Amino acid sequence: MGIISNDISRAIEILTKGELVAIPTETVYGLAGNIFNEDAVRKIFETKGRPAFNPLIVHIPSIEELNKVVSYIPEKAKQLANAFWPGSLTLVLPKKSSIPDLVTAGKSTVGVRIPNHPITLELLRRLEFPVAAPSANPFNRISPTRPGHVADYFEDSLEMVLDGGVCQKGVESTIIGFENDNPVVYRLGAISVEDIQSVVGTVEIKNKKEQNPEAPGMLLKHYSPRTKIIISESIPADLKAYDREKIGVLSFSKTYNEALVKVNSTLSPSGNLEEAAANLYQALHDLDSQNLTLIVAEKFPEEGLGKTINDRLQRAAS
Ligand code: TXA
Ligand code: MG
């Protein structure tokens, strides 16, 4: 496809002149621009159709660069950074005054992470500035986990998608802020709460907008396919209840061979939650293109990445 390319040098040129490039990360593809170029940051919001109140995540290549972006790092933030970076953890910390207000939507804090993808790490090391990168999907749509998803969304408005293959984690980073120096989960993500707690002890979870106006992006409706989607506690019962619909089933490990199912999409036949998370958005993209009238998604176990998957399914179903 036309705009997909693996030419890192060209990505550097485009970003340096203030245009946008979609970049691979281990979570999802990001829509990247120079944080210090106001036009580039504006283009990110315009291209996504993203409301201006929703701040962007800054991507850096190394822990040394963190001091250029934030003004204060609580002890537990250092522990988390050392444990999980490069990786799927975003820390929300007080920003340096040099970080433009447009990037943080006027907030005094900035979200920052070191992504764990070899191509993007090389890109970030070679750039002379950090990039801001929200997920490379139009506002409210499903996040992209393959270069083709981004090209389908933005073929007409984007110069380049840097090809890094399929995203290994497949769901967005876990976002952690600090209240009185204690970590609070603002968004469930690719690192499980259990793994976070193994490093810093018990953490509070405030990933709903009502619980936390500090995380303006946690809108109830999000990550949505066009097709109507419901979450099911019992798939056989819902297949009966909705027997007039053209149904796609999104399940954890089982398939439903009944005559009532048009498409079965099983996220992990072996019952592995990491694998299920990695396949979630691709499955939603696929189901959404099959002319179904209803997606029946199985409720996942509330543990490990099952919590993250349920969070995304609930937002998709809202
Ligand atoms: O995995 C990811 O985090 C991906 C890849 C591309 O890095 N990025 C991503 O960005 O998911 P985005 O923009 O789709 O989601 C960023 C979330 C939003 O909900 C936003 O509100 C929150 O991070 N956020 C960013 N800065 C924040 C801040 N200073 N305070 C609170 N929330 C913040
Ligand atoms: Mg997003």
Side-chain angles (χ1 to χ4, degrees):
M1 268 199 265
I3 63 172
I4 300 172
S5 154
N6 57 16
D7 187 345
I8 298 185
S9 300
R10 195 167 145 244
I12 291 170
E13 272 167 37
I14 296 173
L15 287 164
T16 303
K17 72 177 184 195
E19 298 295 328
L20 309 184
V21 173
I23 58 168
T25 82
E26 82 284 15
T27 59
V28 300
Y29 274 75
L31 187 60
N34 176 357
I35 63 165
F36 296 120
N37 183 315
E38 202 176 306
D39 282 344
V41 178
R42 271 186 214 293
K43 266 178 224 151
I44 294 176
F45 283 94
E46 274 164 30
T47 306
K48 266 187 77 88
R50 182 187 188 116
F53 62 77
N54 198 353
L56 305 174
I57 294 175
V58 172
H59 294 65
I60 57 172
S62 66
I63 287 204
E64 291 71 55
E65 301 281 309
L66 185 60
N67 287 315
K68 296 186 190 159
V69 178
V70 307
S71 60
Y72 170 67
I73 312 173
E75 197 49 44
K76 286 185 173 176
K78 286 181 196 156
Q79 290 168 6
L80 288 168
N82 286 326
F84 295 112
W85 278 353
S88 316
L89 167 76
T90 294
L91 294 175
V92 173
L93 297 170
K95 79 178 186 78
K96 275 250 159 86
S97 56
S98 56
I99 304 300
D101 287 336
L102 203 54
V103 172
T104 63
K107 294 173 69 66
S108 60
T109 54
V110 60
V112 57
R113 84 175 186 105
I114 305 176
N116 190 16
H117 192 294
I119 291 175
T120 288
L121 283 173
E122 182 185 339
L123 174 79
L124 292 172
R125 277 188 217 111
R126 286 170 59 183
L127 285 170
E128 276 161 17
F129 45 83
V131 298
S135 52
N137 51 288
F139 181 59
N140 269 344
R141 301 290 300 281
I142 306 164
S143 295
T145 55
R146 299 179 180 215
H149 297 158
V150 185
D152 286 348
Y153 282 142
F154 297 119
E155 211 138 31
D156 299 329
S157 52
L158 193 62
E159 264 182 72
M160 179 174 169
V161 181
L162 181 60
D163 190 354
V166 177
C167 302
Q168 284 186 357
K169 300 283 181 186
V171 288
E172 295 83 351
S173 61
T174 301
I175 301 182
I176 298 201
F178 293 83
E179 297 177 7
N180 303 316
D181 285 358
N182 289 315
V184 176
V185 175
Y186 289 164
R187 178 176 71 184
L188 296 167
I191 296 176
S192 71
V193 174
E194 290 89 335
D195 284 350
I196 298 286
Q197 291 183 338
S198 73
V199 176
V200 290
T202 308
V203 294
E204 212 179 327
I205 303 177
K206 291 191 180 173
N207 71 320
K208 302 257 156 61
K209 201 184 171 202
E210 317 79 69
Q211 298 165 327
N212 188 5
E214 287 311 303
M218 300 317 291
L219 304 173
L220 188 55
K221 184 179 167 60
H222 212 87
Y223 315 103
S224 302
R226 293 259 163 91
T227 316
K228 181 180 159 66
I229 171 166
I230 60 165
I231 298 174
S232 178
E233 308 253 355
S234 163
I235 292 191
D238 280 326
L239 291 181
K240 273 188 204 139
Y242 294 98
D243 65 344
R244 310 180 68 155
E245 306 280 353
K246 271 197 255 171
I247 293 181
V249 169
L250 184 71
S251 65
F252 184 12
S253 58
K254 283 188 234 139
T255 51
Y256 293 85
N257 272 329
E258 286 136 85
L260 300 168
V261 181
K262 200 172 163 231
V263 184
N264 257 294
S265 182
T266 307
L267 295 182
S268 172
S270 67
N272 178 300
L273 288 168
E274 278 75 29
E275 184 183 35
N279 289 328
L280 176 66
Y281 291 151
Q282 171 62 29
L284 286 172
H285 279 281
D286 275 350
L287 288 168
D288 209 20
S289 66
Q290 308 241 15
N291 292 313
L292 303 165
T293 59
L294 183 68
I295 298 169
V296 178
E298 181 173 349
K299 187 175 189 297
F300 274 66
E302 270 291 317
E303 63 185 36
L305 294 191
K307 268 203 182 78
T308 302
I309 295 171
N310 283 335
D311 173 80
R312 299 304 190 268
L313 289 174
Q314 276 156 19
R315 291 177 207 277
S318 285

